[in-house]
Amino acid sequence: MAFKIASSPHLSRNFQTSTLMQRVILCTLPGVATQCYFFGWGVLIQVALAITVALISEAIVLQLRKRPVADTLKDNSALLTALLLGIAIPPLAPWWLTVMGVLFAIVIVKHLYGGLGHNIFNPAMAGYVMLLISFPVQMTSWVAPMMLASQPADLLGSLQLIFLNPSASEVEAYKLGFDGIAMATPLDTIKTDLSMGLTSIESLTKSIFNDGFGVGWFWVNMAYLAGGLAMLKLNLIRWHIPVGVLASLFICASVGYLLNPDTHVGPLLHLFSGATMLAAFFIATDPVTAATSVRGRLLFGALIGVLVYVIRTYGGYPDAFAFAILLANLCAPFIDHYIKPRTYGHRSRS
């Protein structure tokens, strides 16, 4: 019987990497559908564009590396990377932004390190951070939720805004709420208001918070939470990293809110705004770039949660999951080295 040596992810379940990736993609569909409902056709357009670029670029790189193209593309890893990056990019961002992000994620972050199983950073988050640092205006220009938008974009309008380089005034019309104020994400709104001297309670009175969490964002997070719970039920991921992320974020936010509710928002807003549930279940649990032991995964998740709270509260970016996950990726080998499961039959030294 031959013993096969392969790169990570090392799966103990009775299905291949391609099946794992395929099922994870299926579990994201409730969140993607909810995101489309609240933010329009641009979400699907960005995802479709990202997937197209990812498959083409991976095929070209595999051809240059003299690797089997068809068999490698079937592992669905490029498809999942493109999906995660596509839903993280603002729905009406220009097409070249998505193309650059996907090319960086696939060609540089994934294949420059040797391909699937060899990359030290999560490709989707590395591509997102590259775009956020390089093009902060475009990457923070989210459209208003459909029910608050002064001029919701239909399918044709979304295609024109993404691919035809419209004027600034045309783009801005789709980013305005019914009160005529340029729309930002709930976390960005709070951070901006606090920097202007408003309290968190005053900021929460704005129209984007009329359901208490941010119009649309609560239900988007609930949908990704449902998909994450489905992955746990199907044994696609372990519970340790999501619990570590959410528990540490909840504790940090609770302490901050109890100390000063005027300058800190409550823990529920942290949990159900931005990319919290998407990142906790679908991104941080990447088996290639996360820690591997049970205690290591808990620590890995807790580190992400703490970093998210610190950056959201004291840093310059309203949502910090991409930065937190990349920093935790750097720490994963260190965590695995010092937190190892005890060998069966051996006593621990006192």
Side-chain angles (χ1 to χ4, degrees):
M1 182 176 64
F3 180 75
K4 182 180 178 181
I5 299 176
S7 61
S8 57
H10 305 292
L11 307 175
S12 59
R13 276 79 75 195
N14 295 322
F15 45 78
Q16 298 177 330
T17 301
S18 59
T19 306
L20 171 68
M21 299 291 179
Q22 183 183 72
R23 293 183 181 181
V24 171
I25 291 170
L26 291 175
C27 289
T28 66
L29 295 184
V32 175
T34 307
Q35 213 169 317
C36 293
Y37 174 79
F38 284 104
F39 297 102
W41 288 99
V43 177
L44 283 182
I45 296 171
Q46 298 291 355
V47 168
L49 176 61
I51 289 174
T52 303
V53 175
L55 294 178
I56 293 174
S57 61
E58 176 142 286
I60 293 173
V61 173
L62 289 170
Q63 187 70 35
L64 293 174
R65 296 179 62 198
K66 295 180 172 56
R67 299 293 178 89
V69 176
D71 291 340
T72 305
L73 287 178
K74 289 179 182 177
D75 67 15
N76 294 320
S77 61
L79 191 65
L80 180 58
T81 296
L83 173 63
L84 295 176
L85 186 54
I87 58 182
I89 291 175
L92 298 183
W95 63 270
W96 51 265
L97 202 71
T98 301
V99 171
M100 289 181 64
V102 172
L103 287 176
F104 183 82
I106 297 296
V107 178
I108 305 298
V109 182
K110 182 179 179 181
H111 281 285
L112 191 63
Y113 286 92
L116 179 65
H118 301 282
N119 50 288
I120 61 175
F121 295 109
N122 184 288
M125 291 299 94
Y128 179 86
V129 167
M130 185 277 293
L131 293 176
L132 185 59
I133 294 174
S134 303
F135 309 99
V137 175
Q138 290 84 352
M139 286 296 291
T140 54
S141 298
W142 277 78
V143 297
M146 299 289 282
M147 58 284 301
L148 294 182
S150 60
Q151 184 180 339
D154 57 12
L155 176 58
L156 181 59
S158 298
L159 289 169
Q160 291 174 339
L161 290 169
I162 292 171
F163 291 102
L164 298 182
N165 193 26
S167 65
S169 60
E170 290 177 307
V171 176
E172 196 63 29
Y174 292 95
K175 298 175 183 176
L176 295 178
F178 62 80
D179 55 2
I181 299 175
M183 189 60 62
T185 62
L187 292 171
D188 192 25
T189 299
I190 289 177
K191 180 174 284 292
T192 302
D193 289 345
L194 290 176
S195 68
M196 296 173 62
L198 298 177
T199 65
S200 61
I201 297 176
E202 292 171 333
S203 181
L204 291 173
T205 61
K206 292 190 172 182
S207 59
I208 193 175
F209 296 106
N210 65 7
D211 62 356
F213 294 96
V215 175
W217 291 96
F218 171 76
W219 295 109
V220 168
N221 275 276
M222 285 295 292
Y224 284 120
L225 172 61
L229 294 177
M231 288 202 298
L232 289 173
K233 180 68 175 178
L234 295 171
N235 284 327
L236 302 178
I237 59 173
R238 304 302 184 194
W239 60 268
H240 310 89
I241 292 177
V243 168
V245 172
L246 300 179
S248 62
L249 180 57
F250 180 86
I251 292 170
C252 290
S254 298
V255 172
Y257 185 72
L258 290 173
L259 292 176
N260 193 343
D262 288 337
T263 58
H264 296 76
V265 296
L268 292 181
L269 186 61
H270 276 283
L271 292 180
F272 293 100
S273 291
T276 301
M277 296 301 170
L278 172 65
F281 287 95
F282 292 93
I283 301 176
T285 54
D286 175 17
V288 176
T289 57
T292 55
S293 65
V294 171
R295 289 184 300 161
R297 289 195 294 265
L298 284 170
L299 179 59
F300 180 83
L303 175 62
I304 292 174
V306 171
L307 288 172
V308 166
Y309 179 75
V310 170
I311 299 173
R312 279 182 176 181
T313 306
Y314 305 106
Y317 293 94
D319 200 355
F321 265 102
F323 292 98
I325 287 173
L326 293 182
L327 290 172
N329 291 160
L330 282 174
C331 299
F334 179 85
I335 293 172
D336 284 336
H337 179 77
Y338 286 99
I339 300 182
K340 299 177 180 178
R342 189 177 66 181
T343 305
Y344 181 75
H346 286 238
R347 293 182 179 178
S348 58
R349 295 182 179 180
S350 57

